Amino acid sequence: MHGLVNRAIERFVRDTYGRDVWLETIRRLDLGYTEFEAMMTYEPQVTKEVLAALATRLGKDLPDLFEDIGTYMISHPDIEAPRRLLRFGGVDFVDFLHSLDDLAERARLAVFDLDLPTLELRDHGEGSYSLTVGLCEHHDLRLGRVVMGVLRAMADDYGALVFLEYKGESAGREVILIRLLETAFASGRSFELGAGGLTG
Amino acid sequence: MSDETYPSYDLLDVLCPMHAVLNASGHVLHAGPTLQKVFAGKPLIGERFLEIAELRRPHVAETMAGLRGCHGARLHLRLRDGVRTGMKGVLIALPQVAASLGPPGGAIINLSFGISVVDAVRDFGLNAGDFPATDLTIEMLYLIEAKSAAMEASRKLNLRLQGARIAAEEQAYTDTLTGLKNRRAMDHVLERLMQTEQDFALMHLDLDYFKQVNDTLGHAAGDQVLQNVARRILAQTRADDLVARTGGDEFVLILAGVTARARLSEIATRLILCLEEPVMYNGQECRVSGSIGATLSCAYETPDLARMMEDSDLALYAAKARGRACHVLYDPALRADPPLHGTD
């Protein structure tokens, strides 16, 4: 598993529940370290153990935990990069939805060994879409719930009003139903192209 | 001539939103929407093009004729605005006879930011809609941002690894029990002193009666004595001096800049005195003392490390032979009358 993923989980716990909760959870796993390095690779098993331990410690179901992590990655003010990079996908939420088809490729351009699930958007008309979340190449963790959290936060970011429904998984793919109720429901957060750039 | 005469400008506005149409006298007749945004609040339409932009390459006369002569060539320009934004461009000279593309004898110039695009996007508040749909600028900005984020993460990893390396090195030079330096650190410092030809005093210090403490009160007591002794020696030395534990109860001191025998003698006396203060362990008094042998680099014509170590050690044995708890400074006479070994 890429360190960026593990690091995101770690930052989520630290920023949401505090340092002590993180240290307590990670120490119990006896990994020999308490911090993940964003630019290193870890065994997928480590990620699974951390997630299971967190679910127990926080008293949450794994799906809820996953969705919270997805939302955190986009909406927490301390980590700007994922939100900004996703916002490059489109000028409005519909544009953004369609850009998800290229997301895995885009991510590979930035960090070549970042193994994201393949996403496939289907437009059913009248603001109804379905997003198929495939498996990653190097691990069997299903990230559909994380994608749900990301979508929810990105809709907020664009100021769009959406209804999301997780339709379950089959044959290694998960399906998320997206109903776009209003594209300009709220003003959303601003996005300036040059704001990140070389200094970000 | 008015805009409406040439409906094709609508086409250019979509395909090349950074274009400008110049009339025969070189004045801006029309500008694409993005170029207009770049010049927001500043004169553009009706201005002479070469007065708002400077043609840096190719070098031609600053006239409309000069500009028209650049037909089809790659142009390097700089705006004469506050930030002097660099631009790339290409110009099409329009025919002198009436043509549908634009004013006869005029020109159409298309511009792009080239490599200064990151600054330009920020300076002029441009967004995705300001670039043609086929333009790669947004992809490039995405890549720059994504790569910068990845690079920043790598940079942080490098910093942390460097910190870990320094900590590991620091540890490798330290005796973990006492926090004093170890033999490796001592070798390192001695070598540096020799290389830089600085004067110093070399001192060998052995604890006396330490074995008895270990034997009667146990190793924990011995460790406590060593830690106490280390603190006391450090308190008697300066920050520039090096104190190393080189064996169980053996220490080496390197006293930088010491050249006088009297001063060395005084330091040795003080050290022994402070070692003799008893150390308390579980309510028990542990008493040790120290024997010291020392030598001065300035006593040698050309100081040699191995020789100095040997002489200092020889002086230490002489001190032990003289009944311990005393110090001896090396003197060549010691070699003529070496003390008996094996008394310790």
Side-chain angles (χ1 to χ4, degrees):
Chain A
M1 182 67 75
H2 200 283
L4 274 171
V5 176
N6 290 356
R7 182 78 178 157
I9 298 169
E10 176 188 334
R11 297 265 323 247
F12 159 74
V13 179
R14 299 184 104 131
D15 289 348
T16 315
Y17 300 97
R19 192 166 166 271
D20 292 344
V21 173
W22 171 254
L23 289 178
E24 188 193 316
T25 315
I26 189 99
R27 282 200 182 120
R28 202 162 288 171
L29 294 176
D30 203 18
L31 296 168
Y33 49 84
T34 57
E35 268 178 43
F36 287 113
E37 287 294 348
M39 283 294 143
M40 275 161 59
T41 311
Y42 298 85
E43 286 300 317
Q45 190 54 34
V46 172
T47 312
K48 287 183 187 172
E49 282 173 19
V50 168
L51 288 168
L54 279 175
T56 311
R57 172 65 180 78
L58 301 174
K60 269 181 183 285
D61 292 341
L62 268 183
D64 288 345
L65 181 64
F66 275 34
E67 199 173 324
D68 286 352
I69 293 172
T71 304
Y72 161 82
M73 286 198 300
I74 303 303
S75 58
H76 199 277
D78 283 358
I79 44 170
E80 264 281 89
R83 172 188 99 89
R84 282 196 55 85
L85 293 177
L86 286 177
R87 281 291 294 249
F88 270 100
V91 288
D92 58 32
F93 189 67
V94 174
D95 219 12
F96 160 76
L97 283 180
H98 284 285
S99 77
L100 291 175
D101 283 345
D102 309 327
L103 186 66
E105 281 302 312
R106 272 177 177 267
R108 229 191 306 282
L109 276 180
V111 181
F112 80 96
D113 53 350
L114 181 60
D115 184 14
L116 291 188
T118 53
L119 301 175
E120 221 182 294
L121 186 81
R122 238 181 253 171
D123 188 344
H124 302 294
E126 294 180 352
S128 178
Y129 303 85
S130 61
L131 185 70
T132 307
V133 183
L135 278 177
C136 299
E137 217 174 308
H138 301 291
H139 60 84
D140 58 355
L141 220 60
R142 291 170 199 277
L143 299 178
R145 296 286 190 169
V146 180
V147 175
M148 283 265 285
V150 168
L151 286 179
R152 213 180 285 290
M154 284 306 288
D156 272 359
D157 211 83
Y158 277 105
L161 185 63
V162 296
F163 174 76
L164 300 174
E165 194 183 348
Y166 185 79
K167 297 300 276 186
E169 55 176 83
S170 64
R173 342 170 81 204
E174 296 162 284
V175 175
I176 300 167
L177 207 69
I178 305 157
R179 282 208 197 90
L180 185 56
L181 305 174
E182 216 167 313
T183 42
F185 175 71
S187 56
R189 276 166 83 186
S190 75
F191 176 67
E192 284 163 38
L193 276 185
L198 296 175
T199 51
Chain B
M1 200 169 295
S2 73
D3 260 23
E4 290 81 56
T5 327
Y6 304 103
S8 58
Y9 294 163
D10 291 346
L11 188 80
L12 282 179
D13 282 351
V14 174
L15 295 179
C16 314
M18 289 261 289
H19 79 278
V21 181
L22 313 185
N23 65 14
S25 60
H27 290 77
V28 179
L29 201 62
H30 172 88
T34 304
L35 195 60
Q36 294 204 31
K37 193 163 176 181
V38 168
F39 277 88
K42 278 170 284 180
L44 173 63
I45 306 295
E47 293 296 305
R48 203 165 83 86
F49 181 77
L50 284 171
E51 271 167 29
I52 55 167
E54 171 197 0
L55 181 59
R56 293 169 59 75
R57 266 180 295 153
H59 289 288
V60 295
E62 289 196 14
T63 61
M64 187 54 182
L67 265 184
R68 282 174 54 87
C70 300
H71 176 86
R74 189 180 290 262
L75 308 180
H76 294 262
L77 303 117
R78 196 154 67 184
L79 294 187
R80 299 185 196 269
D81 61 354
V83 280
R84 303 174 73 72
T85 306
M87 289 205 167
K88 287 168 72 178
V90 63
L91 175 142
I92 302 295
L94 297 171
Q96 294 290 359
V97 292
S100 62
L101 272 179
I108 295 172
I109 185 165
N110 191 29
L111 299 167
S112 111
F113 290 112
I115 204 69
S116 53
V117 66
V118 176
D119 294 331
V121 160
R122 192 173 41 223
D123 292 344
F124 304 117
L126 302 180
N127 56 49
D130 292 323
F131 295 95
T134 49
D135 194 283
L136 288 177
T137 301
I138 303 301
E139 277 76 6
M140 196 171 98
L141 292 175
Y142 165 81
L143 264 188
I144 291 171
E145 197 160 326
K147 283 289 178 197
S148 302
M151 185 82 89
E152 178 61 13
S154 288
R155 198 185 62 84
K156 281 185 181 147
L157 172 61
N158 279 339
L159 279 177
R160 276 195 291 273
L161 290 179
Q162 198 183 4
R165 190 179 61 89
I166 290 168
E169 260 181 20
E170 183 70 23
Q171 248 167 27
Y173 279 133
T174 306
D175 169 47
T176 45
L177 175 66
T178 59
L180 296 177
K181 299 293 183 222
N182 60 16
R183 188 178 287 276
R184 256 192 77 205
M186 178 193 78
D187 289 344
H188 186 76
V189 167
L190 280 174
E191 209 166 294
R192 205 181 58 219
L193 285 168
M194 295 309 261
Q195 269 170 9
T196 53
E197 297 182 3
Q198 295 179 65
D199 276 321
F200 62 96
L202 179 67
M203 187 182 274
H204 277 74
L205 186 161
D206 270 19
L207 292 188
D208 296 324
Y209 318 115
F210 178 70
K211 196 170 175 299
Q212 282 94 312
V213 173
N214 253 345
D215 289 351
T216 56
L217 297 170
H219 286 287
D223 285 352
Q224 180 150 340
V225 167
L226 286 173
Q227 284 164 345
N228 261 282
V229 161
R231 274 199 295 276
R232 290 179 195 175
I233 298 177
L234 279 178
Q236 295 294 330
T237 51
R238 303 158 304 172
D240 298 357
D241 299 333
L242 174 129
V243 183
R245 186 163 80 112
T246 52
D249 59 352
E250 297 162 22
F251 301 84
V252 171
L253 285 74
I254 301 170
L255 310 167
V258 173
T259 51
R261 285 178 74 88
R263 170 135 171 69
L264 184 56
S265 195
E266 179 213 70
I267 296 170
T269 309
R270 226 172 48 218
L271 277 169
I272 293 171
L273 259 175
C274 85
L275 294 181
E276 289 178 345
E277 282 286 317
V279 174
M280 296 305 290
Y281 176 77
N282 281 350
Q284 296 252 30
E285 254 187 17
C286 311
R287 284 184 176 275
V288 293
S289 183
S291 297
I292 290 174
T295 189
L296 290 159
S297 67
C298 63
Y300 303 81
E301 197 121 337
T302 39
D304 173 81
L305 255 187
R307 175 75 205 275
M308 282 185 69
M309 291 297 274
E310 197 184 302
D311 290 351
S312 175
D313 205 34
L314 195 69
L316 171 65
Y317 274 99
K320 284 185 184 280
R322 285 181 198 175
R324 303 182 177 179
C326 66
H327 73 271
V328 171
L329 302 192
Y330 175 74
D331 190 281
L334 289 173
R335 289 202 175 265
D337 181 22
L340 290 172
H341 279 215
T343 52
D344 188 73

Short mmCIF file of all heavy atoms in Angstrom, two decimals, chain A residues 18-37:
data_model
loop_
_atom_site.label_atom_id
_atom_site.label_comp_id
_atom_site.label_asym_id
_atom_site.label_seq_id
_atom_site.Cartn_x
_atom_site.Cartn_y
_atom_site.Cartn_z
N GLY A 18 -7.43 13.19 17.65
CA GLY A 18 -6.30 13.56 18.48
C GLY A 18 -5.16 12.56 18.43
O GLY A 18 -5.34 11.40 18.08
N ARG A 19 -3.99 13.07 18.80
CA ARG A 19 -2.76 12.32 18.72
C ARG A 19 -2.80 11.07 19.61
O ARG A 19 -2.31 10.00 19.23
CB ARG A 19 -1.63 13.25 19.17
CG ARG A 19 -0.26 12.77 18.91
CD ARG A 19 0.73 13.92 19.08
NE ARG A 19 2.07 13.40 19.13
CZ ARG A 19 2.67 13.01 20.27
NH1 ARG A 19 2.03 13.12 21.41
NH2 ARG A 19 3.88 12.52 20.24
N ASP A 20 -3.38 11.22 20.79
CA ASP A 20 -3.36 10.11 21.75
C ASP A 20 -4.10 8.89 21.20
O ASP A 20 -3.65 7.76 21.38
CB ASP A 20 -3.98 10.54 23.07
CG ASP A 20 -3.10 11.57 23.78
OD1 ASP A 20 -1.92 11.67 23.39
OD2 ASP A 20 -3.59 12.25 24.70
N VAL A 21 -5.24 9.13 20.56
CA VAL A 21 -6.02 8.02 20.00
C VAL A 21 -5.19 7.29 18.96
O VAL A 21 -5.14 6.06 18.90
CB VAL A 21 -7.34 8.53 19.39
CG1 VAL A 21 -8.05 7.40 18.65
CG2 VAL A 21 -8.24 9.11 20.46
N TRP A 22 -4.49 8.09 18.13
CA TRP A 22 -3.66 7.48 17.09
C TRP A 22 -2.55 6.64 17.71
O TRP A 22 -2.36 5.47 17.35
CB TRP A 22 -3.08 8.55 16.17
CG TRP A 22 -2.06 7.98 15.24
CD1 TRP A 22 -0.71 8.12 15.30
CD2 TRP A 22 -2.31 7.10 14.12
NE1 TRP A 22 -0.10 7.41 14.31
CE2 TRP A 22 -1.05 6.78 13.57
CE3 TRP A 22 -3.47 6.58 13.55
CZ2 TRP A 22 -0.94 5.95 12.47
CZ3 TRP A 22 -3.34 5.73 12.45
CH2 TRP A 22 -2.09 5.43 11.93
N LEU A 23 -1.81 7.23 18.62
CA LEU A 23 -0.66 6.53 19.21
C LEU A 23 -1.11 5.27 19.94
O LEU A 23 -0.49 4.22 19.81
CB LEU A 23 0.09 7.47 20.17
CG LEU A 23 0.86 8.59 19.47
CD1 LEU A 23 1.53 9.50 20.48
CD2 LEU A 23 1.90 8.02 18.50
N GLU A 24 -2.21 5.39 20.67
CA GLU A 24 -2.73 4.24 21.41
C GLU A 24 -3.06 3.09 20.43
O GLU A 24 -2.72 1.93 20.68
CB GLU A 24 -3.99 4.70 22.15
CG GLU A 24 -4.56 3.69 23.11
CD GLU A 24 -5.95 4.10 23.54
OE1 GLU A 24 -6.15 5.30 23.83
OE2 GLU A 24 -6.84 3.22 23.53
N THR A 25 -3.70 3.44 19.32
CA THR A 25 -4.11 2.42 18.35
C THR A 25 -2.91 1.79 17.66
O THR A 25 -2.81 0.57 17.53
CB THR A 25 -5.04 3.03 17.30
OG1 THR A 25 -5.99 3.86 17.94
CG2 THR A 25 -5.74 1.95 16.49
N ILE A 26 -1.99 2.64 17.21
CA ILE A 26 -0.88 2.13 16.40
C ILE A 26 0.10 1.34 17.29
O ILE A 26 0.68 0.35 16.86
CB ILE A 26 -0.17 3.27 15.63
CG1 ILE A 26 0.83 2.73 14.62
CG2 ILE A 26 0.54 4.23 16.55
CD1 ILE A 26 0.30 2.69 13.24
N ARG A 27 0.25 1.78 18.55
CA ARG A 27 1.19 1.07 19.44
C ARG A 27 0.69 -0.34 19.72
O ARG A 27 1.48 -1.28 19.83
CB ARG A 27 1.35 1.84 20.75
CG ARG A 27 2.28 3.02 20.59
CD ARG A 27 2.84 3.50 21.91
NE ARG A 27 3.69 4.66 21.67
CZ ARG A 27 3.46 5.85 22.21
NH1 ARG A 27 2.45 6.03 23.02
NH2 ARG A 27 4.27 6.86 21.94
N ARG A 28 -0.62 -0.48 19.82
CA ARG A 28 -1.20 -1.79 20.11
C ARG A 28 -0.88 -2.79 19.00
O ARG A 28 -0.81 -3.99 19.23
CB ARG A 28 -2.71 -1.65 20.29
CG ARG A 28 -3.32 -2.77 21.08
CD ARG A 28 -4.69 -2.39 21.59
NE ARG A 28 -4.64 -1.42 22.67
CZ ARG A 28 -5.72 -0.82 23.16
NH1 ARG A 28 -6.90 -1.07 22.65
NH2 ARG A 28 -5.62 0.03 24.16
N LEU A 29 -0.68 -2.27 17.77
CA LEU A 29 -0.38 -3.17 16.65
C LEU A 29 1.09 -3.61 16.65
O LEU A 29 1.46 -4.51 15.91
CB LEU A 29 -0.70 -2.47 15.32
CG LEU A 29 -2.18 -2.17 15.09
CD1 LEU A 29 -2.35 -1.39 13.81
CD2 LEU A 29 -2.97 -3.46 15.05
N ASP A 30 1.90 -2.91 17.46
CA ASP A 30 3.30 -3.30 17.60
C ASP A 30 4.03 -3.39 16.27
O ASP A 30 4.66 -4.40 15.94
CB ASP A 30 3.37 -4.65 18.34
CG ASP A 30 4.72 -4.85 19.01
OD1 ASP A 30 5.43 -3.83 19.19
OD2 ASP A 30 5.08 -5.99 19.33
N LEU A 31 3.94 -2.33 15.48
CA LEU A 31 4.56 -2.34 14.16
C LEU A 31 6.03 -1.93 14.22
O LEU A 31 6.78 -2.10 13.27
CB LEU A 31 3.82 -1.37 13.23
CG LEU A 31 2.36 -1.71 12.90
CD1 LEU A 31 1.68 -0.54 12.22
CD2 LEU A 31 2.30 -2.95 12.03
N GLY A 32 6.44 -1.36 15.35
CA GLY A 32 7.82 -0.89 15.46
C GLY A 32 7.95 0.57 15.05
O GLY A 32 9.04 1.12 15.06
N TYR A 33 6.86 1.21 14.64
CA TYR A 33 6.88 2.64 14.32
C TYR A 33 5.48 3.17 14.59
O TYR A 33 4.51 2.40 14.68
CB TYR A 33 7.28 2.90 12.86
CG TYR A 33 6.51 2.07 11.85
CD1 TYR A 33 5.27 2.48 11.39
CD2 TYR A 33 7.02 0.88 11.37
CE1 TYR A 33 4.55 1.73 10.47
CE2 TYR A 33 6.33 0.10 10.46
CZ TYR A 33 5.10 0.54 10.01
OH TYR A 33 4.39 -0.20 9.11
N THR A 34 5.38 4.48 14.74
CA THR A 34 4.07 5.05 15.05
C THR A 34 3.62 6.05 13.99
O THR A 34 2.55 6.64 14.11
CB THR A 34 4.10 5.78 16.41
OG1 THR A 34 5.13 6.77 16.35
CG2 THR A 34 4.38 4.82 17.54
N GLU A 35 4.46 6.25 12.98
CA GLU A 35 4.10 7.22 11.93
C GLU A 35 4.32 6.58 10.58
O GLU A 35 5.28 5.84 10.39
CB GLU A 35 5.02 8.45 12.02
CG GLU A 35 4.48 9.55 12.87
CD GLU A 35 5.47 10.69 12.94
OE1 GLU A 35 6.04 11.05 11.89
OE2 GLU A 35 5.67 11.21 14.05
N PHE A 36 3.46 6.92 9.64
CA PHE A 36 3.67 6.44 8.27
C PHE A 36 4.39 7.51 7.46
O PHE A 36 4.14 8.70 7.65
CB PHE A 36 2.34 6.11 7.61
CG PHE A 36 1.72 4.84 8.13
CD1 PHE A 36 0.55 4.89 8.86
CD2 PHE A 36 2.32 3.62 7.89
CE1 PHE A 36 -0.03 3.72 9.35
CE2 PHE A 36 1.76 2.45 8.38
CZ PHE A 36 0.58 2.50 9.11
N GLU A 37 5.27 7.07 6.59
CA GLU A 37 5.95 8.00 5.69
C GLU A 37 5.16 8.05 4.39
O GLU A 37 4.87 7.01 3.79
CB GLU A 37 7.37 7.53 5.40
CG GLU A 37 8.32 7.72 6.56
CD GLU A 37 8.55 9.20 6.88
OE1 GLU A 37 8.16 10.07 6.06
OE2 GLU A 37 9.11 9.48 7.95
#
